Amino acid sequence: MNNDKHTVVGKRIPNVDGYEKVTGSAKYTIDMVLPNMLHGKILRSPHPHARIVRIDTRRAEQLPGVKIVLTGKDTLGRKNGIWRSYRELCDEEILCRDKVRYVGDAVATLAATQEDIAEEALSLIDVEYEILPAVFNPLDAMKEGAPEIHDGCERNMNVYRQIEWGDVEEAFEDCDHIREDTFYCSSQAHACLETHCAIASFSHDRKLTLWTSSQSPYYTQVLLSDMLGLREGDIKVLKPHTGGGFGGKLSLDSAQYCTSLLSMKLMRPVKIVLSRAEEFAATKRRTPIHYQLKLGAKRDGTLLAKKVRAITEGGAYTALGGTALYLTGFFSSFPYKYPNFQYDGFRVYTNNEATSACRGFGAPQANFVSESQVDMMAEDLGIDPVEIRRKNGMTPHHEIPDQAVIQSCGLQQCLDAIKKYIRKRGELPPNHGIGVSAYGFMSGGIFNWIDTPYAFSAAMVKINVDGKVDLFTGATDVGQGSNTTLTMICAEELGVHLEDITLHVGDTSVCPVDLGAWGSRQTLMSGNAVKMAAAEAKRQLLEVACYYLKPNIVYDLNIKDHWIHFTERPYRRVSYFDVVKDAIRGKEGNPILGYGHYTPHGKGMVSPAYSFGVQAVEVKVDTETGQVDLVHITTAHECGKVINPIGLEGQVEGASIMAAGWTLTEDMQTRDGKIINDNFRDYKLLLAEDVPKMTLLEVDTYEPEGPYGAKEAGEGLTIPTGAAIANAIYNAVGVRIKDMPITPEKVLRALEKKAAEEKDSEQFVAAASA
Amino acid sequence: MEVKCPVCNKQRNSSMKIARHIFGTGDKSHRGWVNSQGVSFTDLLIAQAMEAGNRGFTTLAEIIERVQETA
Ligand SMILES: [Zn+2]
């Protein structure tokens, strides 16, 4: 591929909405105020498991300024869930009618003229609960006699998923060395700067408009339609700028649902903004997982068989946990060519906040345990950690039986780049260590959860008489930069300048359907739709241009810098603006419209494409305190053709730090089901001062399924950091931490244990030789 | 030796693989068949999750073999 051919793609383009964001003029849902707007609040359960005996709302209703109080009895009693075809997995009422299942479950909602009145009114709602026994650990929840969290769900088994190819049992018999290890991956809050929020406005024509902070306005529209009994077309979802999502704004949430209910009753706009404490307690979170891994290898390091058993803590509801359960299994095989693989995953309900999608969608957990174990295997066999990865690593055109075909794959080049970096780094200071982890991730999921008949992504391009272009897409920018990426793709394909394009996003009434921002899907899937729409509009212009330029049929025309020209003889040209005018005249005055869509077909079960990378993290361990400091993060990465290098760098840096925080400091501590560190003082996100120097080593690949050869570069980058840190700690001080988060206390205890074992061993040798 | 799923007739080369298939499918008819054999689908699945080894699935594999022999 000749990169020089591109005029926009591959260039360092600042975010198209960057100016608004850095100057503070960008408007988020949280900033918005509508005329005549009321303020809503939600009363949440203080109990992890209880039956609602009675709710008395009278005192709250009598408070001056309170307009209405609603409970589950005022709803249609439907249950929300993204797997609409599997009703048993639609299990969340959102506003509970009979029973609460975690601390934070919503039991009532109200609207008042002022936010402080609404807050005061919450304390005036009297709820009588019959407290039920609760269970917080999935291992306990499966035991006979454990409290049944959902009626009829025996022993709280929510979802079971399996993946298998080859014959692991036979293969283990051929192995020279087998390791069996257990690991635990902890939870993580999405910690978006903008908490969940919504403003709903229901009008007398029975149409609902919802402004909200969402990763998928289309899912919000569809799920609200189910829950409210309205037609999809009667609900318009508008998404202003969004202050982060990370998987947490994909499900229908309590702010969206309760504002809609309140507004439908009052015919007035109602706004709800979740507090930071509610954001921690009552949204969703990363799935904690217990793993048992069995890994078998030949003496030369060939990995022959792998068996994975995972028990995931589901919390109170299914949410998107079934997909996290499947993907943690699928990505447990990455990025290696295991000839034999078996996965059994069990998702179990507990009386905690539900777990769901969180950046990486189960893959960071899989990678933490798998890449820790690969390092342990390498050490057992006396093989260099990079070399064992090279020996088994995926290569282009690798097929995973019944699951996926990897087309482009630059893993081996990434390993080369990391090896070179480590060699160049040379000898490390005392208590420093470098750990390595290799990974791969999907470019969007082939998962039609909501059973939509629409294409997964669609876009429309409209060229107006002045040559300006309107790009309509349902893709969702939640801060990851898809607005810029898609505008760049449109400009490249049409041959116009970025400033010629006006982007229209975040409005379900005018934008074509797109499934939204999850599974790292926007660049490949929405990008393909935009490219197709632009190409269709361009084709119509070139048809008209042929009348001017009269090319021989063997010649191609192209558009660049507002000229339509012979591709090979650019001096033979006609003005883009003139052609646009004539094209519109020729269409009886209608603008030029191009429509594009993308849905993966024949691409296996998981994704149409996969990105790969290898990360090396250098840490410094303080052996007196157990404190782990990040010294340097180097990521060798391939994501096909890089559309916007600035966007890619932002994703690498943000993802690595989010993953490092999950690994080292972020710990959702609970007592009897209540999250006790539900604020940014006690929940320890990494801060700017914790961020080490980072280096990105970009490896060139080309993905045939992606626009201009591009594939994902978003969630995947959260995957390798956890294992790389764990491996670096082992490399630095010789202790292996297998349960997250890797706190100073755990490191210190492990160092003490290691010292005691070494002392015992010395005494034994001394006694034996005496 | 080919072993058939007693519910949907899917064929695999061992009773263990058919047991895995039955748990993996897990729909009403497969679940119902397991429960009709005097064992509990959920209990066996949970045994598989919680215990070392493969007791949950081997128990079902043995039942499948017995049924196949008597068929
Ligand atoms: Zn069957």
Side-chain angles (χ1 to χ4, degrees):
Chain A
M1 188 182 65
N2 182 355
N3 286 345
D4 297 334
K5 280 183 181 170
H6 300 309
T7 54
V8 181
V9 162
K11 303 289 183 292
R12 299 180 68 82
I13 305 292
N15 267 354
V16 292
D17 45 17
Y19 184 86
E20 283 175 89
K21 286 182 175 172
V22 298
T23 57
S25 60
K27 286 283 170 280
Y28 295 74
T29 308
I30 211 164
D31 301 318
M32 291 178 57
V33 178
L34 294 189
N36 208 27
M37 188 178 87
L38 298 168
H39 296 269
K41 289 282 174 191
I42 299 167
L43 184 68
R44 300 183 180 280
S45 166
H47 306 295
H49 199 193
R51 202 163 295 288
I52 300 168
V53 177
R54 187 179 58 89
I55 304 180
D56 187 343
T57 60
R58 281 172 299 181
R59 285 199 305 145
E61 282 159 351
Q62 284 159 11
L63 186 71
V66 171
K67 297 296 177 187
I68 198 166
V69 184
L70 300 176
T71 70
K73 305 290 181 208
D74 300 302
T75 69
L76 297 177
R78 295 182 182 172
K79 291 182 177 178
N80 176 54
I82 202 142
W83 281 276
R84 297 196 302 167
S85 307
Y86 298 89
R87 292 318 296 182
E88 71 276 16
L89 297 180
C90 298
D91 54 11
E92 187 173 6
E93 289 178 316
I94 303 185
L95 205 49
C96 303
R97 288 155 66 89
D98 301 313
K99 192 171 154 177
V100 293
R101 294 177 176 85
Y102 75 100
V103 175
D105 234 349
V107 293
T109 185
L110 56 82
T113 49
Q114 303 290 331
E115 196 175 351
D116 53 352
I117 296 174
E119 187 72 50
E120 188 187 343
L122 284 187
S123 63
L124 300 176
I125 300 173
D126 298 312
V127 185
E128 188 186 329
Y129 293 101
E130 176 198 343
I131 293 172
L132 302 170
V135 62
F136 305 110
N137 182 319
L139 305 177
D140 294 334
M142 284 188 286
K143 285 179 183 161
E144 212 146 358
E148 191 172 86
I149 297 167
H150 289 269
D151 293 347
C153 182
E154 287 177 83
R155 296 173 72 178
N156 301 308
M157 180 58 66
N158 171 220
V159 184
Y160 163 68
R161 295 300 300 264
Q162 61 175 223
I163 303 170
E164 184 176 23
W165 62 85
D167 190 323
V168 283
E169 301 304 342
E170 263 182 42
F172 280 128
E173 288 177 15
D174 294 334
C175 291
D176 295 318
H177 185 61
I178 292 171
R179 283 201 64 94
E180 292 192 64
D181 296 285
T182 58
F183 294 88
Y184 174 69
C185 290
S186 48
S187 193
Q188 183 179 32
H190 298 101
C192 303
L193 283 185
E194 185 190 31
T195 60
H196 286 66
C197 52
I199 302 174
S201 180
F202 192 68
S203 53
H204 289 275
D205 59 2
R206 299 199 57 77
K207 303 242 189 296
L208 177 71
T209 304
L210 186 81
W211 291 259
T212 188
S213 186
S214 167
Q215 288 177 238
S216 174
Y218 175 59
Y219 285 168
T220 306
Q221 180 190 29
V222 168
L223 298 174
L224 261 185
S225 146
D226 281 355
M227 291 292 282
L228 299 173
L230 297 174
R231 291 186 303 176
E232 283 175 25
D234 289 337
I235 300 172
K236 174 160 77 170
V237 177
L238 298 165
K239 186 205 78 72
H241 289 289
T242 298
F246 310 109
K249 291 176 181 168
L250 204 45
S251 306
L252 183 65
D253 65 56
S254 55
Q256 293 162 344
Y257 182 55
C258 290
T259 51
S260 301
L261 284 173
L262 291 164
S263 184
M264 284 176 74
K265 299 279 183 194
L266 294 166
M267 300 284 180
R268 283 180 69 172
V270 180
K271 179 178 186 179
I272 291 181
V273 177
L274 297 199
S275 68
R276 183 57 62 188
E278 285 179 293
E279 186 78 5
F280 270 100
T283 54
K284 304 284 185 288
R285 61 197 169 104
R286 189 183 289 285
T287 308
I289 310 181
H290 298 265
Y291 291 90
Q292 296 169 43
L293 300 186
K294 185 173 178 182
L295 180 64
K298 299 295 280 183
R299 204 163 288 116
D300 67 357
T302 304
L303 301 174
L304 272 192
K306 181 170 184 176
K307 193 169 169 177
V308 180
R309 193 175 292 183
I311 298 172
T312 77
E313 195 216 312
Y317 300 106
T318 301
L320 289 142
T323 301
L325 181 73
Y326 171 71
L327 288 176
T328 204
F330 178 73
F331 285 110
S332 290
S333 74
F334 265 58
Y336 304 116
K337 297 193 234 183
Y338 289 104
N340 304 283
F341 180 83
Q342 189 183 88
Y343 169 73
D344 291 292
F346 306 86
R347 187 176 194 273
V348 184
Y349 285 127
T350 63
N351 290 113
N352 291 318
E353 180 186 29
T355 64
S356 190
C358 183
R359 200 174 189 177
F361 225 155
Q365 296 96 313
N367 189 271
F368 174 76
V369 304
S370 297
E371 284 293 273
S372 293
Q373 199 186 36
V374 164
D375 251 35
M376 293 152 89
M377 177 62 87
E379 188 188 25
D380 291 353
L381 298 172
I383 298 175
D384 178 83
V386 173
E387 290 313 313
I388 197 168
R389 289 172 168 88
R390 191 196 305 282
K391 191 172 190 60
N392 297 283
M394 285 177 180
T395 48
H397 313 297
H398 173 64
E399 189 172 342
I400 304 173
D402 301 328
Q403 300 284 321
V405 176
I406 310 294
Q407 296 197 67
S408 60
C409 172
L411 179 64
Q412 301 291 336
Q413 297 95 303
C414 293
L415 286 162
D416 290 343
I418 285 295
K419 179 120 189 171
K420 206 166 143 191
Y421 159 75
I422 293 173
R423 198 177 296 137
K424 199 172 157 203
R425 179 72 179 89
E427 198 171 325
L428 301 176
N431 299 329
H432 280 233
I434 291 180
V436 166
S437 172
Y439 76 98
F441 195 61
M442 59 186 182
S443 301
I446 307 177
F447 310 135
N448 189 2
W449 298 314
I450 60 166
D451 193 22
T452 180
Y454 288 115
F456 276 23
S457 284
M460 190 175 74
V461 163
K462 177 161 76 88
I463 305 178
N464 303 292
V465 72
D466 58 357
K468 294 276 285 183
V469 177
D470 287 303
L471 168 62
F472 297 83
T473 165
T476 311
D477 195 323
V478 288
Q480 86 281 34
S482 63
N483 282 351
T484 308
T485 304
L486 299 177
T487 306
M488 289 173 73
I489 289 173
C490 183
E492 181 71 47
E493 193 64 24
L494 262 182
V496 298
H497 297 171
L498 283 171
E499 53 272 23
D500 293 327
I501 298 172
T502 303
L503 181 67
H504 303 268
V505 288
D507 182 342
T508 55
S509 66
V510 295
C511 299
V513 166
D514 186 291
L515 302 187
W518 56 268
S520 283
R521 57 181 299 283
Q522 305 272 230
T523 296
L524 190 143
M525 296 196 186
S526 310
N528 273 332
V530 168
K531 188 168 183 284
M532 184 179 176
E536 169 61 17
K538 181 179 180 179
R539 189 188 57 73
Q540 296 170 52
L541 289 184
L542 298 188
E543 267 177 25
V544 175
C546 282
Y547 291 99
Y548 287 94
L549 296 169
K550 300 190 169 39
N552 184 310
I553 189 70
V554 299
Y555 292 131
D556 294 324
L557 297 182
N558 201 4
I559 308 177
K560 190 174 177 182
D561 286 339
H562 301 142
W563 291 99
I564 301 181
H565 60 85
F566 279 52
T567 303
E568 302 304 329
R569 296 177 194 173
Y571 54 87
R572 291 190 61 185
R573 65 189 193 178
V574 58
S575 160
Y576 161 80
F577 298 106
D578 291 344
V579 172
V580 168
K581 277 182 198 153
D582 281 347
I584 289 173
R585 278 191 199 103
K587 288 176 176 295
E588 298 178 338
N590 289 306
I592 296 142
L593 293 174
Y595 198 81
H597 58 90
Y598 178 82
T599 305
H601 290 284
K603 300 291 170 193
M605 301 273 289
V606 184
S607 179
Y610 300 84
S611 292
F612 291 87
V614 184
Q615 193 167 71
V617 177
E618 180 176 339
V619 302
K620 183 176 84 178
V621 181
D622 184 330
T623 53
E624 298 292 315
T625 63
Q627 173 74 28
V628 176
D629 287 331
L630 301 170
V631 178
H632 199 131
I633 299 178
T634 304
T635 310
H637 177 259
E638 61 95 359
C639 59
K641 172 69 185 169
V642 179
I643 302 287
N644 184 0
I646 299 182
L648 172 63
E649 288 158 15
Q651 287 296 306
V652 174
E653 290 172 6
S656 301
I657 287 308
M658 186 172 180
W662 171 55
T663 309
L664 293 171
T665 58
E666 294 181 44
D667 188 10
M668 296 180 83
Q669 294 172 355
T670 57
R671 188 177 302 140
D672 298 329
K674 177 171 169 39
I675 297 167
I676 51 177
N677 54 343
D678 56 2
N679 57 73
F680 283 159
R681 187 187 59 234
D682 299 321
Y683 182 83
K684 300 291 184 189
L685 294 165
L686 290 186
L687 303 177
E689 64 187 14
D690 303 311
V691 177
K693 197 167 173 234
M694 296 194 210
T695 307
L696 177 64
L697 309 170
E698 194 56 32
V699 166
D700 277 344
T701 52
Y702 181 85
E703 169 54 49
E705 186 69 10
Y708 305 102
K711 48 186 178 175
E712 83 86 32
E715 289 182 68
L717 293 152
T718 50
I719 296 175
T721 312
I725 290 173
N727 291 340
I729 294 168
Y730 185 79
N731 183 248
V733 293
V735 298
R736 169 69 58 189
I737 311 296
K738 297 198 288 183
D739 62 322
M740 298 176 71
I742 304 178
T743 58
E745 291 78 8
K746 287 181 192 168
V747 174
L748 207 53
R749 295 289 92 81
L751 285 167
E752 286 165 1
K753 188 168 171 239
K754 179 174 169 256
E757 283 167 2
E758 283 169 358
K759 198 173 164 195
D760 286 350
S761 166
E762 279 164 23
Q763 283 171 350
F764 177 76
V765 171
S769 57
Chain B
M1 183 191 75
E2 285 299 310
V3 182
K4 262 190 194 171
C5 171
V7 182
C8 69
N9 286 332
K10 187 182 175 87
Q11 291 197 357
R12 302 296 296 269
N13 63 4
S14 75
S15 54
M16 186 64 174
K17 285 191 174 165
I18 289 295
R20 285 185 64 78
H21 149 76
I22 287 174
F23 283 110
T25 309
D27 61 8
K28 230 178 206 168
S29 49
H30 286 81
R31 197 178 271 263
W33 183 83
V34 176
N35 291 336
S36 73
Q37 301 302 304
V39 290
S40 153
F41 181 96
T42 307
D43 287 354
L44 292 183
L45 195 58
I46 284 173
Q48 187 69 19
M50 294 182 76
E51 298 173 10
N54 276 326
R55 187 180 70 84
F57 290 178
T58 46
T59 302
L60 186 62
E62 285 162 14
I63 292 172
I64 293 164
E65 279 170 27
R66 266 206 316 272
V67 168
Q68 174 135 324
E69 278 163 21
T70 55

